[in-house]
Amino acid sequence: MPSPSTRQRRKDARPQELLDAAMALFVEKGFAATKSEEVAARAGVSKGTLYLYFPSKEELLKAAIRHTLSADIAAGAQMAEAHTGSCSELLQDVMSAWWLRVYSSSSACIFKLVLTEVRNFPDIADFYLREVIEPGTAVITRMVQRGIDAGEFRPVDVTGTVHSIVLPMIMLCVHKHSLGACPNMEASLGDPELFIRQHMSLLLGGLRRPAAT
Amino acid sequence: MPSPSTRQRRKDARPQELLDAAMALFVEKGFAATKSEEVAARAGVSKGTLYLYFPSKEELLKAAIRHTLSADIAAGAQMAEAHTGSCSELLQDVMSAWWLRVYSSSSACIFKLVLTEVRNFPDIADFYLREVIEPGTAVITRMVQRGIDAGEFRPVDVTGTVHSIVLPMIMLCVHKHSLGACPNMEASLGDPELFIRQHMSLLLGGLRRPAAT
Amino acid sequence: MPSPSTRQRRKDARPQELLDAAMALFVEKGFAATKSEEVAARAGVSKGTLYLYFPSKEELLKAAIRHTLSADIAAGAQMAEAHTGSCSELLQDVMSAWWLRVYSSSSACIFKLVLTEVRNFPDIADFYLREVIEPGTAVITRMVQRGIDAGEFRPVDVTGTVHSIVLPMIMLCVHKHSLGACPNMEASLGDPELFIRQHMSLLLGGLRRPAAT
Amino acid sequence: MPSPSTRQRRKDARPQELLDAAMALFVEKGFAATKSEEVAARAGVSKGTLYLYFPSKEELLKAAIRHTLSADIAAGAQMAEAHTGSCSELLQDVMSAWWLRVYSSSSACIFKLVLTEVRNFPDIADFYLREVIEPGTAVITRMVQRGIDAGEFRPVDVTGTVHSIVLPMIMLCVHKHSLGACPNMEASLGDPELFIRQHMSLLLGGLRRPAAT
DNA sequence: AATGAATGAGTCTTCATTCAT
DNA sequence: GATGAATGAAGACTCATTCAT
């Protein structure tokens, strides 16, 4: 009895297993330096099987990028919606929870992968702009804007502020999969959770309106 | 007139011409996706000539990384030494001038290159740690520490603060050579000089000790 | 009918087919002057297939040398064991049968190949000494020594005698694959069987104790 | 004063220095595996200079072969002419002196070189047959034939006997430059002078007419 | 559906030969 | 004459992709 359903379960899981394997290897070695046979081997299937599910190595890359990260972006939006409290608390809490989740999931890979491969596969840029940059930026922009509108933050340049907030987060993710993955380099950026909190706290110090005299 | 020295002059200039060509292409397409013949062609020589100056494509990569950036790091240290004024002004002015210089020079390439290739060439990690991360971090650390010691800054965690300061700068450089180099994406992070000033200003807001009551 | 096993049968036969092709071409043109694609073509496969079975051209050479000749050396030892009769007859009969077999088989190639390539691949020397020179010399030495011990041969220097016996045989094999394979040179050393008999006969004339007066 | 004549002397000696260098390297590594720059370097000149004296690597090979050995063949003929004594003594003495001279000179290289390269350069075969095999064989043939005609030797097959005599000598020369030149293999064929004497002595034992009863 | 043997276009690297100095 | 920088054709080896089983 386990035979037909087990097989079915395997078969249904295959594409995702292949995507995970591809993601891991593309992030580690880069697209061009990863052999399709390695991807298959890591997913526990043979070279031929890979081509049953994806028509080429390039499509595998695009699929790997497409199927990751969108859920984690949406999660950030939801966290922001759900939060009650001051805007400072909102930024602190949401950014910590959200980016720790991103950092810990396989979404973190995407950043390095996109940075590395966009110039060879320009399609990726469109997708990334539409699915990642725009919604991600929107979530943070809304939180900052809300603080300004509420008089809690100073009337700073919102776009620049968003970048000040988010670029170190992305850098953290990229680092995790490049220098941070090299032997003897593991600790180079310290504990990510701590860093995120400190970073937000420092920025909030600059962001908050000084208490009225 | 060009008779006795034309040949010699070419020969002396070749290594740097090849390194420049290699740097540009490795950054654009990645090491594995760059053909050695392309590097030669961009430097205006034939395939064979490349191998007269560098024993392999891998050595060319390492040389390209080694011969760039160190000068720009040292420049930052000098700027910091030379500055007179408050610690806030120091941080603002030095970081702006320094990182705009880095951003505009070919040093900016190095960050993307290292992020992309360290995992395939672990030697790079040692070099980068020793020649870039350590001296670069030291310059910024000193500036922050001086502000704390002088009572101008609050007694923050120095390491985390340095990361908050520098990670967006690096991200700016990386971005310039990945998404920022894609058509229709040029403006995505805005004007770098403006961003650097805003970023430093925001951080300094959080860093400065509130005026005594 | 060929369905389940045709592929397998090919796969099992491939290594030997490739070794035979390699042997023939290496002997004809030398290792360095033989292209790996030629070897593949002669074995009826493509370049890539060659590398499925052997990791490099050099390993192909070593394998070709290792897998040939040992059987023919052992055959000589057996012939010597099996023979009954005088020591003169033994030497005549065994050397004729044995070396005609060697001369006619692909073993004959090995001598030229080893002479030609040892200095570039010193590993070959160890193998050849251990697997060819030592066992081959031992067979002939035993036959000569037996004749001396039995009082049938004069008490000559055994080592030198063995060389007198065997060097022309080897030369015959080498010649077959160099000058002897050139157009208009086929007949230059005459019929090998006849020569071997005459050579042994001449040597036995010098070897045999003169009949007691 | 030494300046113009020294230079002239160098210039006159160049071709021979290049040929010697080429010979040594071609014998050691084979023609295809020898780089023309190595030949130039060993002769103490630059790559370009080599092409001033020889139009191509192939011509260098042919010239190297052509300019060696003929003198040593002629020397053998003279030794045979000059000898007085029995035919046995003649064979012993001439073969020893002659082949020891060949073995010790750079002529010994030719045998290996020809064996190795004829099949790639068929021109060599003609030269070798005409300049080496034929005159060399003639010298030995004459000595054997004289012994038979004088009743000193048995009426053996002359051609075969010549081969029995000469093949080990050639093998000695070939060996000197292949296995014999490998580390740990130097002594493998013993002292050449001793071997040549023993070999001739053994053959003469088979060749001499038994003393009349 | 899964496999893995086979292919051959594509890359890195070498080296005989040329030619400006 | 002599040099050695430059060339580019040629050769070893790799790997994405196909397809018979």
Side-chain angles (χ1 to χ4, degrees):
Chain A
M1 204 191 302
S3 178
S5 77
T6 298
R7 188 193 303 225
Q8 188 59 38
R9 225 176 301 130
R10 282 320 296 260
K11 197 196 146 193
D12 293 347
R14 278 285 150 73
Q16 190 57 49
E17 288 169 7
L18 286 163
L19 288 172
D20 290 345
M23 173 67 80
L25 287 164
F26 288 161
V27 171
E28 180 182 337
K29 319 167 70 141
F31 175 77
T34 300
K35 299 171 214 170
S36 45
E37 188 162 17
E38 288 177 300
V39 174
R42 182 185 254 250
V45 299
S46 75
K47 236 176 338 177
T49 303
L50 174 60
Y51 283 88
L52 250 34
Y53 292 93
F54 298 94
S56 73
K57 199 180 149 191
E58 185 172 339
E59 287 308 315
L60 185 61
L61 171 68
K62 291 179 181 167
I65 292 179
R66 265 196 300 276
H67 292 306
T68 319
L69 198 48
S70 299
D72 286 327
I73 296 290
Q78 282 189 323
M79 290 175 187
E81 290 299 319
H83 191 274
T84 60
S86 73
C87 290
S88 293
E89 285 165 3
L90 173 70
L91 263 180
Q92 261 285 12
D93 297 348
V94 169
M95 291 302 291
S96 299
W98 180 23
W99 281 88
L100 210 58
R101 172 181 166 151
V102 171
Y103 181 86
S104 309
S105 76
S106 67
S107 295
C109 297
I110 292 299
F111 299 108
K112 187 189 170 197
L113 207 45
V114 171
L115 287 179
T116 304
E117 310 295 348
V118 239
R119 296 194 67 179
N120 292 324
F121 306 100
D123 297 9
I124 294 176
D126 299 333
F127 161 80
Y128 185 70
L129 183 61
R130 193 167 11 87
E131 301 283 326
V132 179
I133 298 184
E134 286 177 352
T137 304
V139 172
I140 304 174
T141 300
R142 230 173 296 129
M143 292 190 285
V144 173
Q145 190 64 55
R146 197 196 298 183
I148 294 173
D149 294 347
E152 191 179 336
F153 297 158
R154 293 193 287 111
V156 292
D157 176 81
V158 178
T159 304
T161 303
V162 170
H163 292 155
S164 284
I165 293 171
V166 82
L167 293 184
M169 311 287 173
I170 294 172
M171 204 57 214
L172 223 52
C173 293
V174 172
H175 180 88
K176 177 185 181 187
H177 294 289
S178 60
L179 270 171
C182 293
N184 310 324
M185 294 279 160
E186 306 86 359
S188 43
L189 283 181
D191 173 57
E193 178 160 19
L194 189 61
F195 171 72
I196 295 177
R197 296 206 152 274
Q198 284 180 357
H199 177 64
M200 290 312 301
S201 160
L202 200 58
L203 287 176
L204 284 167
L207 208 48
R208 266 192 297 263
R209 220 185 212 359
T213 327
Chain B
M1 205 192 301
S3 180
S5 57
T6 295
R7 194 96 95 81
Q8 189 57 38
R9 211 163 23 235
R10 287 323 298 270
K11 198 196 166 198
D12 293 346
R14 278 286 145 73
Q16 191 56 53
E17 291 168 7
L18 287 163
L19 288 173
D20 291 344
M23 173 70 81
L25 287 165
F26 289 162
V27 172
E28 177 180 340
K29 322 170 66 148
F31 175 77
T34 300
K35 300 173 218 171
S36 51
E37 191 162 13
E38 288 177 302
V39 174
R42 180 185 258 250
V45 298
S46 75
K47 229 178 339 173
T49 301
L50 172 59
Y51 286 90
L52 245 38
Y53 294 91
F54 298 93
S56 70
K57 200 179 144 190
E58 184 171 339
E59 287 308 314
L60 185 60
L61 171 67
K62 290 178 182 168
I65 292 179
R66 265 196 300 273
H67 292 308
T68 320
L69 196 51
S70 298
D72 286 327
I73 296 289
Q78 282 188 324
M79 291 174 187
E81 289 299 317
H83 192 275
T84 61
S86 72
C87 292
S88 293
E89 284 164 4
L90 172 70
L91 264 179
Q92 260 287 11
D93 296 348
V94 169
M95 291 302 291
S96 300
W98 182 19
W99 281 88
L100 209 58
R101 173 184 165 148
V102 171
Y103 180 86
S104 309
S105 77
S106 68
S107 295
C109 297
I110 294 296
F111 299 108
K112 187 191 170 195
L113 207 44
V114 170
L115 288 180
T116 304
E117 309 296 347
V118 241
R119 297 196 65 181
N120 292 324
F121 305 100
D123 296 10
I124 294 175
D126 298 333
F127 162 80
Y128 186 70
L129 182 60
R130 193 166 14 85
E131 300 283 325
V132 180
I133 298 183
E134 286 176 353
T137 304
V139 171
I140 305 175
T141 299
R142 230 174 294 130
M143 292 190 286
V144 173
Q145 189 66 54
R146 196 196 298 180
I148 294 172
D149 294 347
E152 190 179 337
F153 298 158
R154 291 191 290 112
V156 293
D157 175 81
V158 177
T159 305
T161 302
V162 170
H163 291 155
S164 286
I165 293 171
V166 83
L167 293 184
M169 311 286 175
I170 294 173
M171 203 58 213
L172 222 54
C173 293
V174 172
H175 180 88
K176 177 186 180 186
H177 294 290
S178 59
L179 270 171
C182 292
N184 312 323
M185 294 280 159
E186 305 85 359
S188 44
L189 282 182
D191 173 58
E193 178 161 20
L194 188 60
F195 170 71
I196 295 176
R197 296 208 153 271
Q198 285 179 355
H199 176 65
M200 290 311 300
S201 162
L202 199 57
L203 288 176
L204 283 167
L207 208 49
R208 268 192 296 263
R209 209 186 243 311
T213 324
Chain C
M1 207 193 299
S3 180
S5 56
T6 297
R7 196 96 95 80
Q8 190 58 38
R9 212 164 21 236
R10 287 322 298 271
K11 197 197 167 196
D12 294 346
R14 279 285 145 74
Q16 192 56 53
E17 290 167 8
L18 287 163
L19 288 172
D20 290 345
M23 173 69 82
L25 287 164
F26 289 161
V27 172
E28 179 181 337
K29 322 169 67 145
F31 176 78
T34 300
K35 300 172 220 173
S36 51
E37 191 160 14
E38 288 178 301
V39 174
R42 182 186 256 249
V45 299
S46 73
K47 225 180 342 171
T49 301
L50 172 59
Y51 286 91
L52 246 36
Y53 293 92
F54 297 94
S56 71
K57 201 179 144 191
E58 184 170 341
E59 286 308 314
L60 184 61
L61 171 68
K62 290 178 182 168
I65 292 178
R66 267 197 298 275
H67 292 309
T68 319
L69 196 50
S70 298
D72 287 328
I73 296 289
Q78 282 189 321
M79 291 174 185
E81 289 299 318
H83 191 275
T84 61
S86 72
C87 291
S88 293
E89 286 164 2
L90 172 69
L91 264 179
Q92 261 286 9
D93 297 349
V94 169
M95 290 302 290
S96 300
W98 181 21
W99 281 88
L100 211 57
R101 172 182 166 150
V102 170
Y103 180 86
S104 309
S105 78
S106 67
S107 293
C109 298
I110 294 297
F111 299 108
K112 188 192 168 195
L113 207 44
V114 170
L115 288 179
T116 304
E117 309 296 346
V118 240
R119 296 195 66 180
N120 291 325
F121 306 99
D123 297 8
I124 294 176
D126 299 331
F127 162 80
Y128 186 69
L129 183 60
R130 192 166 15 86
E131 300 282 326
V132 179
I133 297 183
E134 287 177 353
T137 304
V139 172
I140 305 176
T141 299
R142 229 173 297 129
M143 293 191 286
V144 172
Q145 189 65 55
R146 197 196 297 181
I148 294 173
D149 294 346
E152 191 178 336
F153 297 159
R154 292 189 292 111
V156 291
D157 174 81
V158 177
T159 304
T161 303
V162 169
H163 292 155
S164 286
I165 292 171
V166 82
L167 293 183
M169 311 285 175
I170 294 173
M171 203 56 214
L172 223 53
C173 293
V174 171
H175 180 88
K176 178 187 180 185
H177 294 289
S178 59
L179 270 171
C182 293
N184 311 325
M185 293 280 160
E186 306 85 359
S188 44
L189 282 182
D191 174 57
E193 178 160 20
L194 189 61
F195 170 71
I196 294 176
R197 295 208 153 272
Q198 285 180 357
H199 176 64
M200 289 312 300
S201 162
L202 199 58
L203 287 176
L204 283 167
L207 207 48
R208 266 192 297 262
R209 211 186 242 311
T213 324
Chain D
M1 205 190 299
S3 178
S5 76
T6 298
R7 190 195 301 229
Q8 188 59 38
R9 225 177 302 128
R10 281 318 298 258
K11 197 195 147 195
D12 293 347
R14 277 285 151 73
Q16 190 57 49
E17 288 169 8
L18 285 163
L19 289 172
D20 289 345
M23 172 69 79
L25 287 165
F26 290 161
V27 171
E28 179 181 338
K29 321 168 67 141
F31 175 78
T34 299
K35 299 172 216 169
S36 45
E37 188 161 17
E38 288 178 299
V39 174
R42 182 185 256 249
V45 298
S46 74
K47 234 176 339 176
T49 304
L50 173 60
Y51 284 88
L52 249 33
Y53 293 93
F54 298 94
S56 72
K57 199 179 150 192
E58 185 171 339
E59 286 309 315
L60 185 61
L61 171 68
K62 290 179 181 168
I65 293 178
R66 265 196 302 275
H67 292 306
T68 320
L69 196 50
S70 299
D72 286 327
I73 296 289
Q78 284 187 321
M79 291 174 185
E81 289 301 316
H83 191 274
T84 61
S86 72
C87 290
S88 293
E89 285 165 4
L90 172 71
L91 263 178
Q92 261 286 12
D93 296 348
V94 169
M95 291 301 291
S96 299
W98 181 22
W99 281 88
L100 209 58
R101 171 182 167 152
V102 171
Y103 180 87
S104 308
S105 77
S106 67
S107 295
C109 296
I110 293 297
F111 300 107
K112 188 191 169 196
L113 207 44
V114 170
L115 286 179
T116 304
E117 309 295 348
V118 238
R119 296 195 66 181
N120 291 324
F121 305 99
D123 298 8
I124 294 175
D126 299 332
F127 161 80
Y128 185 69
L129 183 61
R130 192 165 14 85
E131 300 283 326
V132 180
I133 299 183
E134 285 177 354
T137 305
V139 172
I140 305 175
T141 300
R142 230 173 296 128
M143 292 191 285
V144 173
Q145 190 65 55
R146 196 196 300 179
I148 294 172
D149 294 347
E152 190 179 336
F153 298 160
R154 293 192 288 111
V156 293
D157 175 81
V158 178
T159 304
T161 301
V162 170
H163 291 155
S164 286
I165 292 170
V166 83
L167 292 184
M169 311 288 174
I170 294 172
M171 203 58 214
L172 222 53
C173 293
V174 172
H175 180 88
K176 178 185 180 186
H177 294 289
S178 59
L179 271 171
C182 292
N184 310 325
M185 295 279 160
E186 306 84 359
S188 43
L189 283 182
D191 173 59
E193 176 160 22
L194 190 61
F195 170 72
I196 295 176
R197 297 208 152 272
Q198 285 181 355
H199 175 65
M200 291 313 300
S201 160
L202 200 58
L203 287 176
L204 284 167
L207 208 49
R208 268 192 295 263
R209 221 185 209 5
T213 326

